[in-house]
C-alpha cells in the first residue's frame, strides 16, 4: 500500500508539473491511445501498481488540462492544493458522510463549512445547507423544498400524496434560464415547458418590469451569473417584492454566488441573501474536486421535509444529520474539501481568487477588443463572449483555437450570433497564462481573418 500511494503521489506531482507545457486539449494520438483500455474483463487479477501505471501512462495524456491555468471552457474551476490534499486523505479515510454515526468527522466539517458559507452569503444562521453533487442537484433539492412549502400552504402533503391532483403551482423563469434548471423542474414534476418565461435584456438579465403577477403559489427562479455573459438578474429589485407577494424565490447561482465575497463584485449579488433558496457549485469557482454542489435553504424544515429519510437502522441524532438535506443517503465526504478550500483561502484569499479571475477576464476582453473583435457582453464578472466576425468565421476560429492546444474555450450562440465563451474560473490562472492564451487566440484569429495582431 505504501509503495502504491507513493507511486501515485509521484505520478500526480509529475502530472501537475507537466501542465504548464502540455497541450490543454489532448492530442488525437493520445485519445487514440485510449484503445489500450478496450479489452474484456480479465479472468485473473492485475497488480494494483500495474493498474496505476496503465492509468497514468495512457490515461494522463488523454486528459483535458482543466487543472491548469489556460483552460477557459464551460465554467470549470481547477482544484486548490488544500482541497486536493484533503480529497486524498478523505479518500484514504473512506468515510460515508450520510449520517453522523457513520462519520463524525465528515459531518462535523460539513456543519462548520456550512456555517461559514451561510455567514459569507448573509443568510440567517438557521438556514439549512446540503452538500450535493453539483448545481443541477442543488437546483433540484431547492425545488423539492419549494414544492413542499408551496403545497403545504395549500394543505397538500406532496411527499406522501404525490403531485397528481395537487393544487397548481405557477413557475416563473427568465428567458435565459440555465438548461439544468429546466431539467431540475422536470425532475420535480413541474415540467420543462409548463413555465412562464420572462423576457430578458441585452445582457440576459430578467426584466423586472415584465414579471407576471406573483402569488403565494408562485415559484420564481432567478439567476445569478448567466452562463454566457455572467450577468445577474436584478435580485435586489425582484426578491423583496416577490417575497412580499408570498412567492418562493429560488436563485441559481452556480458560479455567480461567489461574487458575494468580493467588495468589488458584491453589488452584483446584492439581495441574494433574501432568497428562499440558493443553488451553487463548489466544483466551479471554489475550485474543489468534482463533484461538489451546495443547496442553501432559508426554511430548513422545508428542505428536510422534502429530502430526509428515516429507518429504524439509520440511527440519527438531534444534531444536523447530513442526509436530511440531500437526495443521496450514502455519499463521499465532499464537505471535507469545501472546508479545506475555505480554510486555506480565508476570506481574503477567496476574494483575491474571485477578483483575480475577474481581472483576467477583463484583460482578455480588452485584448480582443483592441484587436478589433466583438466582445458581445458587458464583462461584469469572469465571462467573456466574443465573436470574430460572421458566424462561419467565428466557428472556424473557435475550432482552430481548440485544435492548436495552447488554450481551450467553447463555442456558443449568444443572441443569434456564433461566439466563443471564455470563462476564467481557475485558481491556477495567472496573468502570464492570460497573455499566453490571448497571444495564441489573436495569432490564430488573424491567420483566419487577415487582421493584424496588435
Ligand atoms: C454549471 C451551471 C449549472 C449546472 O451545474 P452542474 O454542476 O453542472 O450540475 C447550473 N446553472 C448555471 C448557471 C451553471 O453555470
Amino acid at each position: 500500500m505504501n509503495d502504491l500511494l507513493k507511486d501515485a503521489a509521484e505520478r500526480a506531482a509529475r502530472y501537475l508539473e507537466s501542465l504548464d507545457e502540455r497541450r490543454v486539449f489532448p492530442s488525437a494520438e493520445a485519445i487514440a491511445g485510449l484503445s489500450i483500455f478496450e479489452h474484456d474483463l480479465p479472468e485473473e487479477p492485475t497488480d494494483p501498481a500495474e493498474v496505476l501505471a496503465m492509468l497514468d501512462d495512457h490515461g494522463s495524456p488523454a486528459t483535458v488540462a482543466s487543472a491548469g491555468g489556460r483552460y477557459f471552457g464551460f465554467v470549470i474551476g481547477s482544484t486548490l492544493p488544500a482541497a486536493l490534499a484533503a480529497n486524498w486523505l478523505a479518500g484514504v479515510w473512506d468515510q460515508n458522510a450520510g449520517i453522523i454515526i457513520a462519520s463524525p468527522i465528515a459531518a462535523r466539517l460539513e456543519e462548520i463549512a456550512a456555517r461559514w458559507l451561510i455567514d459569507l452569503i448573509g443568510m440567517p444562521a438557521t438556514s439549512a445547507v446540503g452538500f450535493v453533487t453539483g448545481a443541477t442537484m442543488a437546483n433540484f433539492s431547492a425545488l423539492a423544498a419549494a414544492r413542499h412549502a408551496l403545497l403545504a400552504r395549500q394543505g397538500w402533503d406532496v411527499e406522501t400524496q404525490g403531485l397528481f391532483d395537487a393544487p397548481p403551482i405557477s413557475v416563473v423563469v427568465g428567458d435565459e434560464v440555465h438548461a439544468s434548471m429546466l431539467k431540475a423542474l422536470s425532475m420535480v414534476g413541474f415540467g420543462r415547458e409548463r413555465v412562464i418565461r420572462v423576457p430578458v435584456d441585452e445582457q440576459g438579465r430578467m426584466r423586472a418590469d415584465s414579471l407576471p403577477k406573483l402569488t403565494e403559489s408562485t415559484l420564481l427562479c432567478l439567476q445569478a451569473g448567466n452562463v454566457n455573459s455572467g450577468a445577474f438578474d436584478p435580485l435586489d429589485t425582484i426578491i423583496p417584492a416577490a417575497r412580499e407577494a408570498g412567492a418562493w424565490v429560488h436563485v441559481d447561482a452556480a458560479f455567480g454566488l461567489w461574487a458575494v465575497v468580493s467588495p468589488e463584485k458584491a453589488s452584483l449579488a446584492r439581495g441574494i441573501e433574501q432568497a428562499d433558496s440558493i443553488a451553487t457549485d463548489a466544483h466551479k469557482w471554489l475550485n474543489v474536486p468534482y463533484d461538489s454542489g451546495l443547496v442553501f435553504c432559508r426554511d430548513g424544515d422545508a428542505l428536510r421535509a422534502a429530502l430526509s429519510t428515516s429507518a429504524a437502522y439509520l440511527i440519527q441524532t438531534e444534531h444536523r444529520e447530513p442526509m436530511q438535506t440531500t437526495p443521496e443517503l450514502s455519499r463521499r465526504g465532499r464537505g471535507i474539501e469545501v472546508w479545506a478550500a475555505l480554510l486555506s483561502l480565508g476570506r481574503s484569499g477567496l476574494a483575491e481568487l474571485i477578483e483575480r479571475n475577474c481581472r483576467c477576464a477583463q484583460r482578455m476582453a480588452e485584448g480582443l477588443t483592441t484587436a478589433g473583435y466583438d466582445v458581445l457582453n458587458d464583462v461584469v464578472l469572469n465571462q467573456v463572449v466574443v465573436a470574430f466576425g460572421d458566424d462561419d468565421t467565428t466557428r472556424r476560429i473557435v475550432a482552430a483555437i481548440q485544435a492548436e492546444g495552447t488554450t481551450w474555450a467553447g463555442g456558443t450562440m449568444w443572441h443569434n450570433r456564433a461566439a466563443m465563451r471564455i470563462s476564467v474560473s481557475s485558481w491556477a490562472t495567472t496573468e502570464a497564462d492570460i497573455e499566453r492564451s490571448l497571444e495564441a487566440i489573436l495569432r490564430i484569429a488573424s491567420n483566419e481573418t487577415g487582421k493584424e495582431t496588435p
Side-chain angles (χ1 to χ4, degrees), residues 271-322:
I272 199 168
E273 73 287 350
Q274 300 170 59
D276 291 288
S277 55
I278 301 174
T280 196
D281 266 316
H283 58 218
K284 285 178 181 168
W285 223 354
L286 187 60
N287 281 258
V288 302
Y290 290 93
D291 38 27
S292 192
L294 297 154
V295 56
F296 299 89
C297 193
R298 170 179 298 267
D299 176 0
D301 289 340
L303 189 62
R304 285 184 288 270
L307 299 177
S308 61
T309 342
S310 66
Y313 78 100
L314 293 171
I315 304 150
Q316 299 192 51
T317 65
E318 71 279 15
H319 295 292
R320 175 188 183 278
E321 290 287 352

Side-chain angles (χ1 to χ4, degrees), residues 75 134-136 139 178 180 223 225 227 252 254-255 281 283-284:
V75 186
T136 302
N139 281 324
H178 193 271
S180 76
Q223 186 165 262
V227 79
D252 175 4
F255 61 97
D281 266 316
H283 58 218
K284 285 178 181 168

